[in-house]
Amino acid sequence: MYGEVAIFSGNANPELAQDISQALAVPLCPADVFKFSNHNIFCRLQASVRGKDVFIIQPISNSWNKNGEFASVNDNLMELLIMIETAKRDSAGRISAVVPYYGYGRTDKKDQPRVPITARLVADLIITAGADRFLTVDLHAGQVQGFFNIQVDEVTAFYLLSDYIRDKNIENAVVVAGDIGATKRSRNFAQALNLPLAIIEKRRIQLEDGSRSEALNIIGEVEGKNCIIYDDEIDTAGTMVQAMTYLKKQDAQDIYICATHPVFSDPAGQRLSQSPAKEVAVTNTIALPPDKKFAKLTILSIAPVLAEVIRRIHLGISVGELFNE
Amino acid sequence: MYGEVAIFSGNANPELAQDISQALAVPLCPADVFKFSNHNIFCRLQASVRGKDVFIIQPISNSWNKNGEFASVNDNLMELLIMIETAKRDSAGRISAVVPYYGYGRTDKKDQPRVPITARLVADLIITAGADRFLTVDLHAGQVQGFFNIQVDEVTAFYLLSDYIRDKNIENAVVVAGDIGATKRSRNFAQALNLPLAIIEKRRIQLEDGSRSEALNIIGEVEGKNCIIYDDEIDTAGTMVQAMTYLKKQDAQDIYICATHPVFSDPAGQRLSQSPAKEVAVTNTIALPPDKKFAKLTILSIAPVLAEVIRRIHLGISVGELFNE
Amino acid sequence: MYGEVAIFSGNANPELAQDISQALAVPLCPADVFKFSNHNIFCRLQASVRGKDVFIIQPISNSWNKNGEFASVNDNLMELLIMIETAKRDSAGRISAVVPYYGYGRTDKKDQPRVPITARLVADLIITAGADRFLTVDLHAGQVQGFFNIQVDEVTAFYLLSDYIRDKNIENAVVVAGDIGATKRSRNFAQALNLPLAIIEKRRIQLEDGSRSEALNIIGEVEGKNCIIYDDEIDTAGTMVQAMTYLKKQDAQDIYICATHPVFSDPAGQRLSQSPAKEVAVTNTIALPPDKKFAKLTILSIAPVLAEVIRRIHLGISVGELFNE
Amino acid sequence: MYGEVAIFSGNANPELAQDISQALAVPLCPADVFKFSNHNIFCRLQASVRGKDVFIIQPISNSWNKNGEFASVNDNLMELLIMIETAKRDSAGRISAVVPYYGYGRTDKKDQPRVPITARLVADLIITAGADRFLTVDLHAGQVQGFFNIQVDEVTAFYLLSDYIRDKNIENAVVVAGDIGATKRSRNFAQALNLPLAIIEKRRIQLEDGSRSEALNIIGEVEGKNCIIYDDEIDTAGTMVQAMTYLKKQDAQDIYICATHPVFSDPAGQRLSQSPAKEVAVTNTIALPPDKKFAKLTILSIAPVLAEVIRRIHLGISVGELFNE
Amino acid sequence: MYGEVAIFSGNANPELAQDISQALAVPLCPADVFKFSNHNIFCRLQASVRGKDVFIIQPISNSWNKNGEFASVNDNLMELLIMIETAKRDSAGRISAVVPYYGYGRTDKKDQPRVPITARLVADLIITAGADRFLTVDLHAGQVQGFFNIQVDEVTAFYLLSDYIRDKNIENAVVVAGDIGATKRSRNFAQALNLPLAIIEKRRIQLEDGSRSEALNIIGEVEGKNCIIYDDEIDTAGTMVQAMTYLKKQDAQDIYICATHPVFSDPAGQRLSQSPAKEVAVTNTIALPPDKKFAKLTILSIAPVLAEVIRRIHLGISVGELFNE
Amino acid sequence: MYGEVAIFSGNANPELAQDISQALAVPLCPADVFKFSNHNIFCRLQASVRGKDVFIIQPISNSWNKNGEFASVNDNLMELLIMIETAKRDSAGRISAVVPYYGYGRTDKKDQPRVPITARLVADLIITAGADRFLTVDLHAGQVQGFFNIQVDEVTAFYLLSDYIRDKNIENAVVVAGDIGATKRSRNFAQALNLPLAIIEKRRIQLEDGSRSEALNIIGEVEGKNCIIYDDEIDTAGTMVQAMTYLKKQDAQDIYICATHPVFSDPAGQRLSQSPAKEVAVTNTIALPPDKKFAKLTILSIAPVLAEVIRRIHLGISVGELFNE
C-alpha cells in the first residue's frame, strides 16, 4: 500500500533502533540529526523518502550520547517532531512515530486545579508535526491512546517480563503493588503468574503534635514470602525503595523488581544498587548511560517485539493477534 | 464577557435542571424538544439566544419521561447534540454542555484489540456539534478530561457522599473496594473518612475438571466490621451484590453503598432492594423512574454544586477553589 | 489501492447487507455489535481490518430486530458512528459509510428561526467518527451532498421505480405531485414516463368564523385518469393518504404510489393498507418489520445497485457512468 | 461584547454600503482596496480595527465601477476574501461577511457526474479567509445555509416585494412559476398575496423527424389574468422572457416580474426592456450600471433591512423576530 | 501508489499544459471549463478521475484566450480552485495543483500595518479546495513554501537561465541586482556564472526645497562592462527600465535581462521593447498574448522540467536529486 | 472585552518579564513552573486565570537560571507550550504568547532538499497548544508572520538601535551589511541614519590546486570610514568577526555592531570581546548569563516597547500607530 520501509533513528536511543533494524533485516536510513551551537536541532535526510513507509524511532526521555552529552526529554521530543516535519515535507508516503517510552505520560489528568494535561498536549504536538501513526510501549494509562485521533498501536512488555519471572521458578511468592496506583497492573501480573497479591498503601497521617506525616501499611500477606514488585516505570526509585524497606520490615524474603521503562532519574541507579532488591529487570525502551547501570540490573530487549509490529504495520497484518496468542 | 445566562434542559433529567435553575434563581428557558413519529428529534428554541451564555443540561443516560416513554442513552446524546447545534446556529455567545453523567465513559481504552474508545468519540461529537465548554460530574477516569480540547470543568460528588457517611458516625468501619478497579477511588474515600481499606479481588481460576470459573478473595480485614463500598457508578449492580454476599460470608456487619451515578440498569433496582445493603446512597445526576427506587435508597442532590459552578463559570470566578476548601 | 474489501453490517438492516454481500460474492465480516444492559452500544470486530477497504452498511432509521426489539434512528446512527470509530482505531485502510437511508435528511434548512440543520450535523458526526467516504440512496435534497467534505456517492432508485411502473403499461395516466415540495421530482418522473404532470397544493385558509383551516386544490388534470404519486420517502403517510382521498374526490381512477424509502412511521402501514392506493412500491433501503407490511406493498431491492457501486468504488471505476447509460 | 461597529465596503456595490451606513448612522470606514497593474488586489485599512465588530459589505457578483471598469464575480469574491484576511490580521474582534448576493449559489448540488458544488466551496473559502459570521439575502436554496459552519443570518426581500405588489392592488391576478424549480417559492408568494398559482413546465420532446425540442405547457389557469412571476434572481432573462411570450400566447393580461437579485447578464437588460413585461421589480443587492437599467425597471432598496439586521447582530438582539412579525 | 496519471489544464496557459503533456507522452484529459454569461466558472470533467493521480496545470496570472478574451488573476485562481473541487468530489486519488506562476506571491509579509498576507491566504484557499500537493516554479520568497502544510515541490528556472547566459560567452560581464531586494538572488546567479556582482540601490532623498525624491546609486563596478540583470519576475518593467537607463549613464555596455516569470503588466512589453536591453530572456510559466511579445524577447520552455518532476512525483522518485546534480 | 490582564513568566527571561510588569504597573502572576527530576516540566498556576487576558512571556532561546542551570531552546519552547496548555485548561479568556526571541526562526525555507521548515513547525506547535495571539520582536524574515493563522504583532527594535547610534554622532560613517543576506535590513538602517551602504560578500572559490575555499570582497566604500554593522541577531559571531577583520584589512576605522537578539552561542562572548569592535549594542530579548557579558557590550531594554504593546492589545488600541509615528 505504501512504498518500501524506511527506518530512521533520532539520537535518544540509537542502540534500540539498531536492534530493531537488525531484527527486521532493514538497514537504518542515514540522516544528519544534530544540534547547532545555539541548540537548535537540525535534520537533513540523506536519501529521499518520497512515497515511503517511514518509521522514526525516538523515546521521549532524557538521553546521553556516546560523548556523554545530555539531551533532555524536551530536546528529544523536539527532535522527534522535527524529524517528522522533515519526512512530511520530503513527501513521505506514511509516517509512524515509534516512541518506545512516552514521556509526560503520567501528567494525564487534572488531579488538582490549574495544572496541564501534558500527555494530551504531547499527542497533539506529534499529530501536528505530521505523524500518521503512533507506536509505543506500555503507556502509563490505557486512556492515553484516546488522546490520539491517529491510529495507535500499543505494544506491551508484560509478557516479556512475566515470562522472565516465571522462568525463575520463585517459590512461595507474592506480587506486591508498590503503591495503590499500581494495584490493577499488579493484579494482572499476579494472575498471569498465578500468585497472590498484596498492596502497600501510603497514608497521610496526623501526628500527636499536630504535624503531618506519611505511614505505609500492607494489605494482604507478605511475611516470609518472596516479593515481586511490578510497575510500568521506575523514575527516581524513591517509592520503590521505600516499599522494599517496608517489606523487609514485614519479614519479606527476596524482592524482585520488574518494570518496563527504566527512567532512572538520579539517584535511581545508586538507590536501586544499594537497595534490598535481589534483581531489577527492565527493558531497553530507554537507553541507559554506563553510570546508571549496576550489577543486579537485567535489561531485556523489546526490539524483537517492536520489529515484528513494524513488520505487521507495513504489511497490513493484524497486530492484535500478536498479543492474543 | 458574555450575555446573560440562558439555561436549557433536554428531556433526560428535567427535574435536576429545574433544581439547578431554582438554586440559581434563573428560570429555565423554554424550548420545544421532542421526537417526530419517525423518532427524529427536533428542537425549537422559544426565545433567541443571540450572544447569550447558554447552558444545556442533559445527562447521557437512559431516561423515562412522565408518561413512561423510554429514551435510550443514544437518544439523549443526540438530543444534546441537536440542542447544541440549534443554539450555535441561533448565534449563542457561548455554549456549555452540562452533562451530569457522561455515558460511554467506561469505554475509555482499548483493553482488547478491535474495540472502540467511545468515550473519546463522544467527546469529539460534543465538540463537533459546537459546544465551547463541558461541565460534568465524576468521570469514570480522570483522563477522559484529556479527550476534550475545549475547556472542561469536572465537579465531584465525593464530598457530598463522604460528608453524608461521616455524619452517620458508623463505628468499627472499613471502606471496601468492590473490585480491583475501584481501589484508588476507595482509598481516597477511606482516607477522607480516616478508615482502613480492604479490597475484593476477583480471579479467573481453572477448576479441576478443566473448566474455568471465578473466585473472590479479600485483601485486608472485614470480619466483624461495618463496610462502606464506594464507587463512581452502579450499573446492573451485579458485581456490587456479589461483593456484598461475599462480605457477608466473611462475617462483615452492616454494608453501606455509596455511588455518584445511579445508572441502575435492570435488574439493579430489584437486586439492590433485596441485597444485604443497609443503605444505598447516590446522587440525582441521573433521573430514576419510580420503579427503580426502593426503600433503602437515599438520593442526594448535586444541583446546588452544579448551580454554584455554573454561576462561577458565567462570572469568570475560580471553580477550582470551590473544591480546594 | 487499498487492501481487500471488508463489509460489515450494523443491526439496522442486516437483510440488505446480506443481499449486497451475496451480490458481490463477498461474505459479510463477523463483528459483535450489541447493547449492554445500560443501552451503551459496543462493537468488537472479529477479524482485523488493518489496511482493508471497509464498507459499513447501516441506514439511519428506526429498526426492529428479529426479537422485535426496537432501536431508534439515534441508536442506529450511534451504532454507525461507533463501528466507524472501531474500524478507524483498528487501522482500516479506508472506511466507507454506506447509509441507504439518510435520517434527519429533511431537517436540511432553517425555514423558521431557532431550529437546527440536523442534516448538516449528522454529516459532521459521520466525518468526525472517521468515515473517508459516504454512499447513500436518494437524498431528500441534492444539496445535502454539499454538507459533506468527504467524497460522496449518491445512488438513485429512480430508474428502478420508473422501470417498474413503465412495465405496468398503465393507460391514461398522469404523475401527481402529492404536495408542492414534490413538484420537481415528480416532473422528472413524469418526463421519464412521458406522462403529464399534476400538482396538489395545500393552502392555509381563513374560514368565515375567523378560524384557520387547510384546503387542497389541484393544478392540472386528473379527472378520469390513473394517478402515479412519486416521492422520495413515505413517513406517516398522512399527506399521501390525504392526497389520495382528494384525488378520488376529483374522480381519479387507480392510484399507484412509488417511493424510495419506506420510513412507515405509525400508522403508515395501517393507513396505506386501508387507502385507495392500488399498489405501493418502495425499496428495501429500510427494513420493515412484519406488522408494517401489507398486501398491496411491493418491495424492490436496491441491493444489486449498491453492490455494483461498492464494487466500482473499490476498483476505482466510474460510478457516474452507471447512471448515465 | 465586541468593540464598536466598523463597516467596510468592497468595490462591488459601494452605493448599497453607503445606504446601509446612512441607515445605521455609522460612517463607512475608509480603506484602500484596489488592483495593481497585474490585477492583484490589495487592501490597506486606513484605521485600526483592533477588537472592533467588523462588517464587510460585498456582493459576489460582477460589477462596473464609476469609470466603467469591469470586475468579475471572481474578482469581487477575491476582494472579499482579501478584506477579511486584512481585518483578521489587524486583530478585528469579529468579522461578518455581508454578502447581499451569493454568487455561485445555483451550483449547489451534483445533478450530473463530475461537476463541482461550488456553493459549498465558496462557503469554505469565506470561512478559511477568517469570517466569523455570514449575512446574506435570499439564497437560491435554503440548504446553502448548511454549507456554513459559522453563524449565518439570511435576510429575505420576500416581504419587500410582496408588499410592493400588494400595494398595486392588481385585480384578477395569478402568481405564475416561470419554471418548475420556482414552484415552491411562487406558492409562498401566491399565499402571501392570497392569489392562485399556475406553473409553466418545460419539457424535452421528441419531434416526428426524430430530433429533440422543448415545449412549454401551463399547469393551472392564466387566460385573461394578470400574471405575477416571482423568482430569486434574473440572470440572462432567457427563461423569463420565454415564459412571458408563452403566457401572452395563452391570452394572459399584464405581466409583472419580481425578483430579489438583478444579475442581469447580457442581454438581460435589452430582453426585459423589449419584453411584454409591464414592470420588473428587483432590489439593489447587486449594483447595476446605467446601460443595464431601463424604463420599466423598479429598484427597491434592501439597505434598511440589512442595516437593521447589522444593528441587531452587533447588539445581540434577535434577528428572527424581525421577520416573524 | 495511486491510479494512473490524469493531467488537466485550466484556461490560463493551455500551451504549457500541452507541452508538458507531450513531454510526458500522456494526453491531456478533456474537460469543459468555461464561464457562464454571469462569469460564474463551471467545470465538467469528461472522464472519471476516480482513484487517479490528478495534476491540474494553471498559473495564477492574468491570461488572454485565443479570442483575446481577458481572464484576471482572480478568475484563474478561482478556476483552479473549482477544478480541484471537481476532481475531489469525483473521488480523485490524489490532486496536485501545478501552479507555474504563484500570483500574489509578493504580498508575503506585513511591511506596513493593516495589510494582508495574501500569499498565505492563497495557500489556504488551495488547501481548502482539496489539493493534496502543490508544485510551482521559483517563488518570490522561499518562505512561501512554509505557508503550505501540504507537500510542496518548488522547481527552479535558475539553471535554465544561467545555462542560457553561460552559452552566450559574454565577456567582461557583471551581474547587477536591479534593486536591493534582488541582491541575494543575483549573487547566486553571479556565483553560478563566476562573475562579479553590483547592486543598484534606490533611496528616498530630501531635496533642497524640502520635497522628496528618489535617487539611484550603484554599489560595485559597472563602467564599461556588459551587465546581466536577473530577477524572479518582470511586472510592469518600470524598475527594470529605470535600472537600465541608470546603468547606461554609468557607461555600462550591453544589458541582458533574465527572469523566470514574464508577468508583463502594461506597459511592460512596450517599455522593454524600447529599452536599452540587448535581450530579454524569460520562461513560459505565463502565457503571453501576441501584443506582449517583441523582437528581443527569448522564451525558454520550463515544460521539460515540469514534466520530469510530475513523472517523479507520480512514480515516487526523488525530486531533490533532479536539482542536486 | 476580556477580563483583567494576567502576566506570567516562564524561566527563560524572568528579568525581562519583571521589567515589563513594572512598566505596566501590573504585578507578575505567581506560578510554579519547574522540572521534575526526570526533566519533565510541570506548571501549576497559583491563581485562577478564568476569563482573564493572559500574557505568557518566554523567549525561545537557551537560558541559564540563577544557579547556572542550563535550559535549552527546546526546554524553553516546551515550557512555553505547557504554560499555554495550563492556562487554556484553566479557562483563560485569551492567551497571548509573548516570545521576544523566536528561536528556529532562521530555519524558514527549504534551501536544500530533505530539510524541515522548523519555523513553521514551531508556529503550528504554539497554535496547537492553544495560543490565541502571538507577540514577538524582529523576526528573521517578515514572512514568518504568515506561518501563523492566529493574530500576530511584531515589534521592532530597529528604532531603539538606530536612535542609539544616531545619538553617538559618528562621523564619516557607513553602514555595512556583514553578509549578503543582511543587505536589505542594512539598507533600511543606512537610510534611517542617512548613511551610505556597503556590502561584504562571501564567495566560494576554486584554488589553483583544485581545492575550494571562501573569499570575502567588499561592494561599496569602507576605506577610512567608521563602520556600523547591523543585523537581527548575533549567534556564534563567527561571520561577524570575520567581517570585522576583513573591514580592518580594508582600512576601516571604528566598527560598531548592532543587533536585536544576543543569541551569543559559544564562543560569541569571547570572540566579540576580543574583536576589533568598538561597541556591541543589543537588546534584552534574550537573558545573558554573567560569563557572556563583556566590557564593550551595551544592552538596551525592549521592555518599555513590549509593555506598551501589551497595554494596547489588552485595551484594543492600534499597535501599528505605535511604529508609524
Side-chain angles (χ1 to χ4, degrees), chain E residues 3-7 24 26-27 29 52-55 310-311 314:
Chain E
E4 52 182 296
V5 167
I7 304 179
L24 277 170
V26 172
C29 291
K52 293 190 180 163
D53 197 9
V54 174
F55 293 83
I310 288 173
R311 196 181 70 82
H314 178 62

Side-chain angles (χ1 to χ4, degrees), chain B residues 161-162 164-165 189 193 228-234 240 256-261 279-282:
Chain B
L161 290 164
S162 61
Y164 180 76
I165 292 293
F189 208 69
L193 295 169
I228 300 158
I229 302 182
Y230 170 67
D231 216 338
D232 59 329
E233 72 175 56
I234 303 172
M240 198 66 100
Y256 299 83
I257 309 288
C258 297
T260 305
H261 306 295
E279 182 175 357
V280 178
V282 298

